[in-house]
Amino acid sequence: MGVRGDFTGLDVSTPNVARMYDYYLGGLASFAVDRAAAERVLVHLPHQRRSAEENRRFLGRAVQFLAGPQCGIDQFLDIGSGLPTTRSVHEMARAVNPAARVGYVDYDPLVVSHGKAMLAEPGCSVMVEADLRDPVGLLSHPDIRGHLDFSRPVGMLLVNVLHWVADSASPRRVLSVLRDAAAPGSYLVLTHGSMDLVANKDAARRAAQVYDHANARLRPRSRLQVARLFDGWRLLEPGLVPKHQWRPDPGSGPMPFDYSWAGVAVKDLFRR
Ligand SMILES: C[S@@+](CC[C@H](N)C(=O)[O-])C[C@H]1O[C@@H](n2cnc3c(N)ncnc32)[C@H](O)[C@@H]1O
């Protein structure tokens, strides 16, 4: 799959985190500058490709759990949706509930352009350009409001996105706005990069420094900091765990490493 859409004014001289992720996943939407930066990360974290793949697997397990009969979620808000390199959220959700709808959001114009061409399907999914750091603006975007009904439960997906949000933008405030907008019975799905899980901290720091020169800086957080992002939500079993350990598929082999925490939580009825 090549990059599609209108790319006038595109910055191809700065490594871009969405395109680097696409490269880890084996996509074709990156430019030379992205591939060079990604290769520098891989020198320090050779399992990064596998980590990206495990992230998509976790997303798939979580979406299908939410769309299934136990949770009954039929609308999803996928924030920081990224380039559509692998199976998309609406395909994963619709495999379980054919009526599921998805609002995709990203702040990167290339991702949005590509997403509009590849992901948006009438009656099923929309692709919207909005910034998570302005959650009020994101939630009031007319295309999101027109597509999702916030008076009913929604599955909020913040997968591999909050570690691009600096402390100065207050990820906890951002999440509290999203939580307050979600109807009781809504779910939050989150993964977040962390140094906790990497044995070689020096290598992890050097890998993180590569992103100092990208379009977004990496802000890994500790398990405690990530746990605090779930304020007002109730974490489901098995809690906040390395992502490959969240309800693994039967027969999936052990993984000797992980780079991110993952959790799925529900907004209980009494929290409104
Ligand atoms: C690594 S990709 C993750 C894609 C997908 N969620 C996944 O886990 O497979 C991170 C995405 O978050 C987007 N992103 C980063 N900061 C954002 C922000 N403040 N608002 C919206 N999107 C953001 C990036 O543009 C990128 O497409």
Side-chain angles (χ1 to χ4, degrees):
M1 184 193 307
V3 185
R4 298 188 189 177
D6 176 10
F7 308 125
T8 313
L10 184 69
D11 179 358
V12 293
S13 61
T14 305
N16 174 289
V17 299
R19 300 188 315 239
M20 288 170 70
Y21 186 67
D22 173 81
Y23 178 68
Y24 299 137
L25 289 171
L28 299 174
S30 59
F31 295 89
V33 69
D34 311 309
R35 294 190 286 275
E39 288 294 343
R40 285 198 295 282
V41 170
L42 287 164
V43 167
H44 303 301
L45 295 180
H47 301 301
Q48 176 61 23
R49 282 184 198 284
R50 170 86 192 274
S51 182
E53 289 162 10
E54 286 298 331
N55 188 65
R56 293 301 297 182
R57 284 197 194 101
F58 161 77
L59 176 63
R61 295 195 300 278
V63 164
Q64 298 205 325
F65 170 67
L66 263 54
Q70 192 176 335
C71 306
I73 293 294
D74 63 1
Q75 46 175 2
F76 295 84
L77 179 59
D78 184 6
I79 305 178
S81 53
L83 288 157
T85 314
T86 60
R87 202 169 174 224
S88 61
V89 166
H90 68 270
E91 288 168 327
M92 298 188 280
R94 285 194 159 210
V96 178
N97 178 352
R101 302 162 75 84
V102 181
Y104 292 104
V105 176
D106 208 287
Y107 75 164
D108 184 322
L110 174 82
V111 172
V112 174
S113 177
H114 199 148
K116 280 188 170 161
M118 304 295 294
L119 292 177
E121 283 181 32
C124 166
S125 46
V126 293
M127 177 84 232
V128 164
E129 183 171 338
D131 192 326
L132 174 61
R133 293 167 296 185
D134 173 17
V136 174
L138 187 160
L139 289 168
S140 56
H141 192 291
D143 290 353
I144 291 295
R145 285 275 152 199
H147 192 63
L148 303 179
D149 175 1
F150 286 94
S151 70
R152 296 176 49 245
V154 62
M156 293 194 166
L157 313 177
L158 285 98
V159 177
N160 251 358
V161 63
L162 280 160
H163 50 228
W164 305 115
V165 176
D167 289 344
S168 57
S170 184
R172 289 181 75 187
R173 172 195 59 86
V174 166
L175 276 172
S176 71
V177 173
L178 296 177
R179 180 199 61 218
D180 290 349
S186 294
Y187 289 82
L188 172 65
V189 175
L190 195 152
T191 63
H192 197 300
S194 181
M195 296 278 184
D196 300 353
L197 295 161
V198 188
N200 185 340
K201 308 285 185 222
D202 273 351
R205 264 188 289 276
R206 281 196 288 273
Q209 282 164 4
V210 173
Y211 294 100
D212 290 352
H213 308 284
N215 70 318
R217 293 185 69 169
L218 184 63
R219 177 67 174 85
R221 293 189 170 89
S222 68
R223 186 175 188 280
L224 182 61
Q225 289 172 314
V226 178
R228 287 193 182 125
L229 297 173
F230 286 92
D231 277 355
W233 300 84
R234 178 172 55 83
L235 271 165
L236 304 182
E237 286 297 323
L240 189 58
V241 292
K243 61 182 177 280
H244 72 281
Q245 289 176 14
W246 194 89
R247 304 189 185 207
D249 289 326
S252 57
M255 213 168 117
F257 71 95
D258 209 328
Y259 301 153
S260 39
W261 295 111
V264 176
V266 63
K267 178 171 168 174
D268 284 320
L269 286 173
F270 59 81
R271 291 192 189 273
R272 189 77 180 167

